[in-house]
Amino acid sequence: MSGRYHRPHGWAWFLERPGYIRFMVRELTSFFVAGYLIVLLVTLGRLGGGEAAFAEWLNALSGPGWMLAHVVALIAAVWHSITWFGAVPQAMPMYLGEKKLPAPLAAVVMGYGPWLTVTAVIVWWVLR
Amino acid sequence: MSTELTMTLEVFRYHPETDSEPRFQAYEVPYDEDWVVLDALNWIKDHVDGSLTHRWSCRMGVCGSCGMMVNGDPKLTCAVFLKDYYPRPIKVEPLVNFPVERDLVVSLDGFMDKLEAVKPYIIRGDVNDTSGGEYLQSPAELAQYKQYSMCINCMLCYAACPVAGHEDEFLGPAALALGHRYNKDSRDQGQAERLDVMLVGEAIWGCTFVGECTVVCPKHVDPAGAIQQAKAVGAQEFFKRFVAPKGAGV
């Protein structure tokens, strides 16, 4: 026998390290975000279909299944956002002279701050 | 009767002359709370089995030679203590995602090719012109790349990266971080040459930002961050090509 040994890669590689599992959870949350966007697009379509069609759609959405789906989608979207805001300081480090802004502060400046600002503007616009 | 404490090391063995598959061999080693895993491996080689093969050199986390899998985690064996595992056994394997040459030694060929590809050195057009004196650099300019210059090429990041294990075209965390390190160096003029290599196919785009390379890095280099920044530069350069005059360069 001679030669190098190549270790096989298993299909369940994503279970080998806790960090891989966290990565997969982060990626899979995007499906829930995409699913919610489809629901939103359908909602807009029903809105264009007239008052009766929209009311019927809203009535359907008020069922327990849809309510549960929305809660799950909300949790997934929040988790997706938190993980990506946590990654922002790595992808876009901010420097003040030769000092790098601490990661939590950078996440607030470039992630949570703009997010809350935009959310506040939307809430104001809807409720005004 | 001796009262010396011992613990068990289960060591990956593979000799290409005789083995078609690797095997694990258990060794009882003296337990000393000051010992690191590398001390135990050296004790085995010196006192029990001289055929055990492993790399090491500086013994102080600088040379990057002694990277191995310790209970499934990529570690510098000179920096991980027996006392952190005692009395449980420790399983020592060669770094994953690399072909195994012999026992705990992996082949560096693929890594060296990738490292060479990103041209990890300062590139200047005026290399022979010394009339201007030194290339001056401010502390703020140094801060832009200093973290990424701490890489010791230990390859732990490749062992932690699932993409490096599945995609040959991917240049991998250390090579990309070092490419980015020189791109961020204010004295360097070689970014265009490096991006020609880094932006091809899966070379950099294979990275899905799992982030474990940064978690395992013993020198806090943050290769994952460097790669995302390099991707952003690459995306900017892609769009610049539509607005910059042809031949203007990157």
Side-chain angles (χ1 to χ4, degrees):
Chain A
M1 292 292 166
S2 66
R4 295 165 175 166
Y5 177 69
H6 295 261
R7 272 175 285 192
H9 294 293
W11 63 269
W13 62 267
F14 50 88
L15 299 175
E16 289 172 4
R17 293 177 62 82
Y20 295 170
I21 296 173
R22 285 194 294 273
F23 161 73
M24 290 301 282
V25 170
R26 184 189 82 198
E27 298 298 296
L28 289 173
T29 53
S30 60
F31 284 100
F32 293 94
V33 176
Y36 179 74
L37 286 175
I38 291 169
V39 172
L40 194 63
L41 287 172
V42 172
T43 304
L44 288 173
R46 292 298 178 96
L47 186 62
E51 189 176 346
F54 186 60
E56 186 186 351
W57 176 239
L58 285 185
N59 188 43
L61 286 181
S62 64
W66 276 112
M67 292 296 280
L68 180 65
H70 276 78
V71 169
V72 171
L74 177 65
I75 293 170
V78 168
W79 182 247
H80 195 82
S81 305
I82 288 172
T83 52
W84 278 110
F85 289 157
V88 164
Q90 279 181 280
M92 294 189 290
M94 292 181 74
Y95 289 89
L96 292 174
E98 58 192 278
K99 297 286 183 193
K100 190 192 277 188
L101 215 59
L105 185 57
V108 169
V109 171
M110 291 184 288
Y112 292 104
W115 183 29
L116 291 174
T117 304
V118 170
T119 303
V121 169
I122 291 172
V123 169
W124 169 80
W125 189 77
V126 170
L127 299 179
R128 72 197 155 94
Chain B
M1 185 175 169
S2 171
T3 57
E4 184 183 57
L5 296 174
T6 63
M7 67 185 298
T8 305
L9 248 65
E10 295 170 6
V11 182
F12 181 105
R13 303 299 308 268
Y14 173 71
H15 284 192
E17 312 83 25
T18 53
D19 300 335
S20 58
E21 289 288 321
R23 59 200 159 84
F24 280 91
Q25 192 163 349
Y27 299 95
E28 284 296 308
V29 299
Y31 171 70
D32 185 320
E33 66 174 18
D34 293 331
W35 272 20
V36 290
V37 171
L38 180 60
D39 290 322
L41 291 172
N42 284 340
W43 185 87
I44 294 168
K45 187 169 179 71
D46 291 344
H47 296 91
V48 183
D49 187 347
S51 72
L52 178 65
T53 309
H54 60 289
R55 282 197 183 101
W56 66 285
S57 181
C58 76
R59 212 187 162 281
M60 55 186 186
V62 175
C63 73
S65 303
C66 67
M68 298 171 208
M69 306 301 291
V70 178
N71 279 4
D73 286 325
K75 299 273 188 189
L76 291 180
T77 51
C78 69
V80 57
F81 285 84
L82 298 185
K83 66 183 177 187
D84 293 333
Y85 299 89
Y86 183 82
R88 290 167 290 132
I90 297 176
K91 183 177 270 192
V92 187
E93 301 168 77
L95 291 176
V96 297
N97 299 333
F98 291 95
V100 179
E101 294 273 14
R102 185 182 188 85
D103 292 342
L104 300 167
V105 174
V106 295
S107 168
L108 304 178
D109 295 352
F111 170 69
M112 295 306 288
D113 291 342
K114 290 174 178 180
L115 190 60
E116 197 178 336
V118 300
K119 303 183 180 183
Y121 40 81
I122 286 179
I123 297 171
R124 299 274 311 185
D126 57 352
V127 69
N128 293 321
D129 180 10
T130 57
S131 59
E134 309 93 327
Y135 301 124
L136 298 179
Q137 191 167 62
S138 70
E141 289 170 330
L142 172 67
Q144 291 286 318
Y145 72 84
K146 187 178 178 186
Q147 181 179 15
Y148 311 121
S149 72
M150 296 297 167
C151 177
I152 56 172
N153 300 331
C154 65
M155 307 186 297
L156 299 194
C157 52
Y158 284 73
C161 174
V163 182
H166 289 83
E167 175 57 66
D168 286 339
E169 208 175 300
F170 180 49
L171 288 173
L176 289 167
L178 281 167
H180 184 64
R181 170 254 179 274
Y182 285 95
N183 286 345
K184 296 292 283 183
D185 192 319
S186 59
R187 301 165 296 179
D188 182 78
Q189 298 172 335
Q191 176 169 285
E193 288 182 44
R194 289 190 202 93
L195 291 184
D196 281 345
V197 177
M198 292 163 69
L199 300 181
V200 174
E202 297 297 312
I204 192 167
W205 305 111
C207 173
T208 53
F209 205 174
V210 177
E212 287 295 285
C213 54
T214 293
V215 172
V216 303
C217 178
K219 310 307 280 188
H220 310 294
V221 169
D222 189 13
I227 293 172
Q228 308 324 306
Q229 293 164 44
K231 281 181 185 173
V233 172
Q236 288 166 23
E237 297 305 326
F238 175 79
F239 288 110
K240 273 186 194 172
R241 285 170 190 170
F242 295 107
V243 294
K246 199 170 182 181
V250 178

